[in-house]
Amino acid sequence: MNLPDMQSAKSRNKERVEFIYSTPIVNNEFNGKKYFIRTYGCQMNVHDSEEIAGLLENIGFESVESEEVADIIILNTCAIRENAHDKVFGFLGRCKHLKELKPDIKIIVCGCMAQEKSVVDEIMSKHKYIDLVFGTHNIHELPNYLMNLTGGLNIEVKSNEGNVFEIGENFKRDSKYVAWVNIMYGCDKFCTYCIVPYTRGKERSRKSKDILKEVECLKMKGYKEVTLLGQNVNAYGNDLEDDLNFAALLEAVAKTGIERIRFVTSHPWNFTDEMIDIIAKYDNIMPYIHLPLQSGSDRILKLMGRRYTKAEYLSLYEKLKSKIKNVAITTDIIVGFPNETEEDFNETLSVVEECKYDGAFTFIYSPREGTPAAKMEDSIPMNVKEERLQKLNEIVNKYSNMNNQKYLNTKQKVLLVGTSEKDNNKLYGYTETMKLVNVDCDKNLVGNIVDVTITEAKSFSLDGIVE
């Protein structure tokens, strides 16, 4: 597989400015004020919300579980799919009603949707009760925005995509045991269906010393697992002079001795043999890879701008399977891309049959305004797309169940992270291969990695006991 032009990426980002934000802003007017955040979208959005929460609590805000008792409501939005847009504006209707009852409440929209001009135009014309809109590139400025908030709608959407912001440990992390560690921002791939390069900007990597410092700090605090996070995580370092590439960074993180390391999301085009060797070498790098396919048709892959062929993808898949012991591989698949034929769809099914994935996130193609694919003629009826999705899911679920059955009556190391949603008497956690396990055990074991005997295997989860 061809590797990207490293030098061009470095020269593009030569003007990058770094900004360190670590000192809390003191402002007594916010002491005791309450905030509520609703997050939509991917892991990056979840981690952004952790940053937003940390920034708010640094200036006196307190978290609440209900928007009804909040002084500010923040919607951290996703622009990937149309239904996310619909959900956001549906919830904004609820916020408008609350604003009518409590005029002093502040309604804030941020995240990827805030970077879309069409969304900002829609807010300006139809949703003027919103107090503040800010984008993905200026989260760190939220405290200043709140202290200088004027009446009416405030738009603070910027495109500082050359900047990398370090905010130290000013996160309010959702867990005490597992943590997201952002290693880069943005994406340079420009897949024709994807809005991310337009909302998140070009690829910008954090310096490895800052990433390693964060991991060391998390380890000292008792965290057991970190997930290295990026829109295209294995492109890390392409824009840096005299720093590590992703394989070297992965090895450096492994050498910190933290017990578990994961990473998402990787692009097949950037997945190198060096990376595979490092994953196979270190026991604390978990044998779980999320490797998006999107389509098994070379024609559709080319239209999508994915930069690899079906044969290249399958070659990489076989390398991962042969070199990484007990590796579990999941994927993303889109059906109904403009002008996808039945033959194209069957090519996708053939890859699924060959790879027998541990799981897959499957979607009907959703056009996003501003992307090249949105301009393509789409002649596929929705009922055909839905039939294809159903057929795909049946095959995906068959192999998910088959792979889970292999765990039955085996002993697995499980990191217990909380109380099971389905049974308050059980804890839940994840195996090294990212299998969800509901465990019958003492609740005092939460936060520990324990040996669990798997007693039942289902399509999407396992049950087990600690003996």
Side-chain angles (χ1 to χ4, degrees), residues 66-70 73 91-105 107:
S66 169
E67 69 275 11
E68 294 182 357
V69 295
I73 299 172
F91 186 69
L92 278 172
R94 168 70 178 153
C95 293
K96 181 181 181 182
H97 176 69
L98 286 173
K99 185 109 177 167
E100 291 169 351
L101 297 174
K102 298 167 56 178
D104 291 337
I105 197 170
I107 312 299

Side-chain angles (χ1 to χ4, degrees), residues 18 20 166 206-216 236 240 243-244 249:
E18 300 208 7
I20 311 297
E166 293 289 342
R206 293 175 63 195
K207 289 182 178 178
S208 61
K209 66 179 180 64
D210 294 323
I211 296 166
L212 293 171
K213 181 179 178 182
E214 184 175 347
V215 173
E216 291 279 10
Y236 172 83
L240 295 176
D243 210 321
L244 306 180
L249 176 69

Side-chain angles (χ1 to χ4, degrees), residues 22-178:
S22 57
T23 306
I25 299 172
V26 178
N27 191 304
N28 292 333
E29 72 173 285
F30 299 128
N31 284 342
K33 294 282 187 179
K34 298 175 175 61
Y35 74 91
F36 173 84
I37 302 176
R38 174 162 287 198
T39 307
Y40 303 82
C42 68
Q43 299 97 330
M44 189 73 75
N45 292 61
V46 172
H47 192 41
D48 285 349
S49 289
E50 290 183 335
E51 180 178 340
I52 290 167
L55 293 171
L56 290 173
E57 294 193 8
N58 274 339
I59 58 174
F61 279 93
E62 300 172 2
S63 174
V64 291
E65 297 296 321
S66 169
E67 69 275 11
E68 294 182 357
V69 295
D71 296 294
I72 65 170
I73 299 172
I74 299 178
L75 283 73
N76 187 8
T77 64
C78 171
I80 296 295
R81 307 201 182 279
E82 189 173 359
N83 64 348
H85 174 281
D86 296 340
K87 287 179 182 178
V88 168
F89 280 95
F91 186 69
L92 278 172
R94 168 70 178 153
C95 293
K96 181 181 181 182
H97 176 69
L98 286 173
K99 185 109 177 167
E100 291 169 351
L101 297 174
K102 298 167 56 178
D104 291 337
I105 197 170
K106 304 300 180 188
I107 312 299
I108 300 172
V109 175
C110 64
C112 291
M113 276 177 54
Q115 295 287 153
E116 292 187 272
K117 183 178 183 302
S118 61
V119 172
V120 174
D121 289 344
E122 184 175 355
I123 288 173
M124 291 177 68
S125 63
K126 300 178 181 179
H127 303 275
K128 293 182 180 180
Y129 57 89
I130 294 172
D131 296 277
L132 172 64
V133 178
F134 69 93
T136 60
H137 303 303
N138 48 329
I139 290 173
H140 64 285
E141 295 187 46
L142 177 58
N144 289 322
Y145 294 152
L146 292 176
M147 285 187 285
N148 296 286
L149 205 58
T150 59
L153 176 59
N154 296 259
I155 305 292
E156 297 288 352
V157 178
K158 299 182 179 180
S159 187
N160 295 330
E161 61 177 37
N163 295 352
V164 173
F165 298 99
E166 293 289 342
I167 70 163
E169 272 300 293
N170 290 326
F171 294 98
K172 185 189 177 184
R173 298 191 185 268
D174 290 341
S175 170
K176 298 178 181 177
Y177 317 110
V178 298

Side-chain angles (χ1 to χ4, degrees), residues 260-271:
R260 288 188 169 193
I261 302 159
R262 304 187 190 274
F263 58 90
V264 288
T265 292
S266 50
H267 192 294
W269 196 53
N270 289 114
F271 221 115

Side-chain angles (χ1 to χ4, degrees), residues 304-367:
M304 288 179 167
R306 290 294 289 172
R307 308 187 190 195
Y308 54 81
T309 64
K310 173 183 175 179
E312 288 173 323
Y313 181 94
L314 289 173
S315 175
L316 173 59
Y317 179 90
E318 288 304 320
K319 283 183 185 178
L320 292 167
K321 278 291 192 179
S322 64
K323 292 188 176 183
I324 303 172
K325 185 180 178 181
N326 298 324
V327 69
I329 300 177
T330 56
T331 196
D332 295 335
I333 299 172
I334 297 170
V335 300
F337 192 78
N339 299 302
E340 177 191 65
T341 65
E342 196 67 25
E343 182 180 357
D344 293 322
F345 176 64
N346 286 332
E347 286 291 310
T348 296
L349 295 185
S350 75
V351 175
V352 176
E353 292 282 6
E354 184 168 346
C355 293
K356 300 177 175 59
Y357 295 107
D358 283 74
F361 296 96
T362 59
F363 312 93
I364 291 175
Y365 167 70
S366 176

